[in-house]
Amino acid sequence: MSHSLRCRCGRVKGVIAAEARANHVLCYCNDCQAFAHFLGRASDVLDERGGSEIVQILPKNLSFIQGVDALACMRLTEKGLLRWYASCCKTPIGNTLASSKLSFIGVVHSCLENPAAFGPVRVVVNTQGAKGEPKPKQHGIGTMMRWFFGNALKARFTGEYKHTPLFRADGTPIVTPQVLSGEEHARLVRAVLA
């Protein structure tokens, strides 16, 4: 049975294939927090400590059934991750590298119908960015690396990386990413640290 994905207003809908091998991660990095603030969605994307729950999958397992025209993309900095969202209602969809050649997407939990269907969180990272003290304990880096090398890197060698709904055949994103100015980025950093 496939897993449903949708934006808050329902314009963007998609599915993740049932056979998708997923890695369930909780990330406390300042950049994930800044993305939630950029969208104006910090209260429903971040947990009370500033963590983003992310399900890492291969893009070949993701397909959109409607609303591709509403997808937007941004970068916090010129070299930052591509952060995909639904422009209609500012629902975060996921994060990718700037190139499709290393194949993965970290799907943000708030667009998933049932994030728990991907199993428990097995990896907790970037805990230095968590709110409050003591900081959560970071764990599962080995699990994350095994998933990455066993899936994303393998897709590079098998050619499966070419099957992605977010990049064109030439490896460029299907929409032009908005890159934040230095002042826009600084404003989001202040919001994260507040």
Side-chain angles (χ1 to χ4, degrees):
M1 182 177 188
S2 60
H3 307 280
S4 296
L5 172 153
R6 71 185 295 275
C7 70
R8 190 174 190 171
C9 74
R11 181 172 173 188
V12 176
K13 292 182 181 176
V15 293
I16 296 173
E19 67 272 14
R21 293 188 63 206
N23 192 34
H24 206 155
V25 178
L26 184 58
C27 180
Y28 288 98
C29 79
N30 289 339
D31 286 353
C32 282
Q33 293 181 58
F35 181 45
H37 283 279
F38 167 81
L39 296 172
R41 303 292 301 274
S43 63
D44 64 315
V45 172
L46 305 176
D47 69 17
E48 67 280 353
R49 305 286 305 271
S52 292
E53 193 177 331
I54 296 169
V55 175
Q56 295 176 326
I57 60 166
L58 294 181
K60 72 172 189 160
N61 291 308
L62 171 65
S63 58
F64 291 98
I65 54 178
Q66 74 177 45
V68 172
D69 61 315
L71 288 177
C73 181
M74 63 86 69
R75 298 177 93 170
L76 292 166
T77 63
E78 190 68 43
K79 295 187 178 181
L81 292 176
L82 298 183
R83 296 179 182 273
W84 299 85
Y85 62 98
S87 62
C88 44
C89 57
K90 305 293 190 214
T91 300
I93 302 297
N95 309 313
T96 66
L97 295 175
S99 165
S100 62
K101 291 181 180 179
L102 278 179
S103 183
F104 83 91
I105 179 170
V107 180
V108 180
H109 74 95
S110 55
C111 73
L112 294 170
E113 182 177 68
N114 183 14
F118 295 94
V121 170
R122 301 181 329 167
V123 180
V124 177
V125 293
N126 301 311
T127 56
Q128 71 280 2
K131 309 289 185 206
E133 296 294 338
K135 301 295 184 195
K137 186 178 179 186
Q138 185 160 285
H139 63 85
I141 299 298
T143 298
M144 188 164 65
M145 296 308 291
R146 281 190 299 279
W147 182 90
F148 182 81
F149 287 112
N151 293 280
L153 200 57
K154 179 181 174 187
R156 174 73 177 125
F157 293 108
T158 64
E160 290 178 328
Y161 74 92
K162 296 175 184 174
H163 305 288
T164 170
L166 299 173
F167 291 86
R168 297 182 187 96
D170 67 0
T172 59
I174 60 169
V175 296
T176 302
Q178 172 192 356
V179 180
L180 297 187
S181 70
E183 177 49 40
E184 289 170 320
H185 184 248
R187 181 179 53 79
L188 291 176
V189 169
R190 288 192 297 272
V192 167
L193 298 177

